[in-house]
């Protein structure tokens, strides 16, 4: 995320942040901050942005559903990652041929009135350094409630996971009580849904980054602390994947580990 008012940025996956100059240094492969500043001064002219107050209603962006007509039902990318075609068909996605999401497998995000309020897309070309790209305001997304809202309300159990890829992998083995956070924070929309639903159990299952930078592990602790302001501690549990993330485990033939992760959860539930 890049904050347009200051130029500061944060990489949630790597759990690092910094100034605009540091981002330019990393991106351009420069030796020092001073060289980054020289590059910026030579190539660009900056102005303070004009901050305009926008009403809440104006921020509720909606998209024309016809935009989805430009996608092709090519499921090969996700099938190669171990996801079943029948699962993919439930989520109305496809590969975009043109526009901002070209060469991305997109998933439409709908609100409770079936308005298209966002699109998230996974790069399938292997060219882009940005794996996932979002159109719309992720803070307003509660996904995939269109497919599983009634199940979540009935089961009184919600599993919070980072990405759509994790959701697809769990769905394939019968774990459908999931809500995607699209990163390492719990948005206001997801929090509001949790409060309205008041589940018996909220499982925080962000990625297990213990072999890397601990980003998911640290974020899970923060999420637990955040949720404890609204829920009894006994309702909240951290249950990370055995290793990495669920989709990587699936494509690396580690489905057995996912099922072992699943069994005690469903055992407690019953």
């Amino acid at each position: 995320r890049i904050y347009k008012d200051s130029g500061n940025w944060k990489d949630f996956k790597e759990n690092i942040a910094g100034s605009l100059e540091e981002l330019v240094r990393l991106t351009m492969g420069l030796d020092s901050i001073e060289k980054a500043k020289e590059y910026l001064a030579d190539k660009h002219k900056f102005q303070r942005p004009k901050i305009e107050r926008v009403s809440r209603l104006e921020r509720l962006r909606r998209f024309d559903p016809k935009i989805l007509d430009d996608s092709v039902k090519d499921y090969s990318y996700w099938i190669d990652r171990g996801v079943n075609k029948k699962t993919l068909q439930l989520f109305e996605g496809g590969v975009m041929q043109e526009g901002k999401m070209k060469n991305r497998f997109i998933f439409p995000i709908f609100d409770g009135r079936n308005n298209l309020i966002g699109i998230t897309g996974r790069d399938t070309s292997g060219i882009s350094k940005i794996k996932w790209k979002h159109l719309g305001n992720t803070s307003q997304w509660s996904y995939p409630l269109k497919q599983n809202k009634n199940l979540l309300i009935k089961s009184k159990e919600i599993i919070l996971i980072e990405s759509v890829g994790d959701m697809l992998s769990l769905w394939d083995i019968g774990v459908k009580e999931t809500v995607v956070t699209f990163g390492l924070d719990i948005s206001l929309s997801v929090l509001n849904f949790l409060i309205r639903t008041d589940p018996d159990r909220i499982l925080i299952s962000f990625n297990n980054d213990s072999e890397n930078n601990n980003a998911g592990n640290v974020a899970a602790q923060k999420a637990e602390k955040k949720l404890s302001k609204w829920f009894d501690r006994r309702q909240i549990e951290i249950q990370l994947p055995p290793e990495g993330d669920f989709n990587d485990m699936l494509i690396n033939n580690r489905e057995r580990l996912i099922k072992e992760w699943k069994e005690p959860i469903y055992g407690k539930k019953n």
Side-chain angles (χ1 to χ4, degrees):
R1 177 180 297 172
I2 298 177
Y3 300 92
K4 296 181 181 178
D5 58 341
S6 64
N8 293 340
W9 56 276
K10 183 171 184 179
D11 185 328
F12 292 94
K13 181 173 178 58
E14 298 297 331
N15 200 27
I16 57 176
S19 65
L20 176 62
E21 290 83 1
E22 178 65 11
L23 179 60
V24 171
R25 187 190 71 79
L26 291 170
T27 304
M28 303 295 295
L30 302 176
D31 296 333
S32 66
I33 289 288
E34 286 68 29
K35 288 186 178 181
K37 289 180 179 179
E38 291 174 6
Y39 175 85
L40 288 170
D42 182 52
K43 300 289 185 181
H44 302 282
K45 181 180 179 180
F46 292 95
Q47 293 178 329
R48 285 189 174 275
K50 294 181 180 179
I51 300 175
E52 299 179 359
R53 295 188 179 276
V54 182
S55 72
R56 184 175 182 274
L57 288 176
E58 289 175 322
R59 293 199 301 268
L60 294 174
R61 188 176 180 186
R62 295 177 182 175
F63 296 86
D64 186 343
K66 290 182 180 178
I67 193 175
L68 303 177
D69 296 340
D70 294 330
S71 65
V72 175
K73 304 302 180 183
D74 177 2
Y75 303 118
S76 57
Y77 174 82
W78 287 107
I79 290 175
D80 288 344
R81 297 186 69 88
V83 181
N84 190 284
K85 181 179 179 180
K86 289 184 178 179
T87 297
L88 294 163
Q89 290 173 331
L90 291 173
F91 298 97
E92 307 173 59
V95 179
M96 292 295 286
Q97 303 300 296
E98 301 292 341
K100 295 180 180 179
M101 289 291 191
K102 184 178 180 180
N103 295 327
R104 292 180 179 274
F105 191 102
I106 58 102
F107 297 87
I109 314 293
F110 298 96
D111 65 11
R113 294 185 175 87
N114 210 34
N115 295 308
L116 182 63
I117 61 170
I119 296 171
T120 184
R122 178 60 161 87
D123 176 58
T124 61
S125 67
I127 298 174
S128 176
K129 294 181 179 179
I130 303 173
K131 293 182 179 180
W132 287 95
K133 185 176 181 179
H134 310 310
L135 297 181
N137 189 344
T138 57
S139 68
Q140 299 168 357
W141 298 358
S142 299
Y143 183 81
L145 296 195
K146 182 177 180 180
Q147 286 79 13
N148 68 356
K149 181 178 179 180
N150 292 336
L151 174 63
L152 296 176
I153 294 172
K154 182 179 179 181
S155 69
K156 300 289 284 183
E157 176 169 287
I158 295 176
I159 305 170
L160 301 176
I161 52 177
E162 286 186 39
S163 75
V164 175
D166 294 329
M167 181 273 293
L168 294 172
S169 302
L170 290 177
W171 197 283
D172 249 16
I173 63 167
V175 180
K176 302 177 181 180
E177 298 91 336
T178 56
V179 171
V180 180
T181 58
F182 296 97
L184 295 173
D185 191 18
I186 299 174
S187 70
L188 181 60
S189 179
V190 171
L191 179 59
N192 285 339
F193 177 72
L194 292 172
I195 292 172
R196 291 196 307 271
T197 308
D198 192 24
D200 295 333
R201 297 178 70 210
I202 302 171
L203 278 78
I204 303 168
S205 296
F206 294 165
N207 295 351
N208 187 342
D209 297 316
S210 58
E211 298 296 323
N212 190 7
N213 54 23
N214 277 324
N217 309 61
V218 173
Q221 298 289 339
K222 291 181 179 178
E224 181 183 40
K225 185 177 180 180
K226 181 176 184 177
L227 290 174
S228 66
K229 296 177 182 178
W230 287 275
F231 300 94
D232 190 292
R233 285 278 185 177
R234 290 172 293 183
Q235 291 175 269
I236 310 165
E237 181 179 341
I238 295 176
Q239 189 76 29
L240 302 182
E243 56 185 48
D245 67 61
F246 294 110
N247 192 239
D248 283 343
M249 290 169 63
L250 190 66
I251 63 176
N252 290 319
N253 298 315
R254 310 287 277 174
E255 186 175 346
R256 177 184 61 81
L257 288 180
I258 303 178
K259 289 182 177 179
E260 289 178 359
W261 168 90
K262 167 189 171 184
E263 287 170 3
I265 292 175
Y266 277 72
K268 290 179 184 178
K269 179 181 172 181
N270 295 329

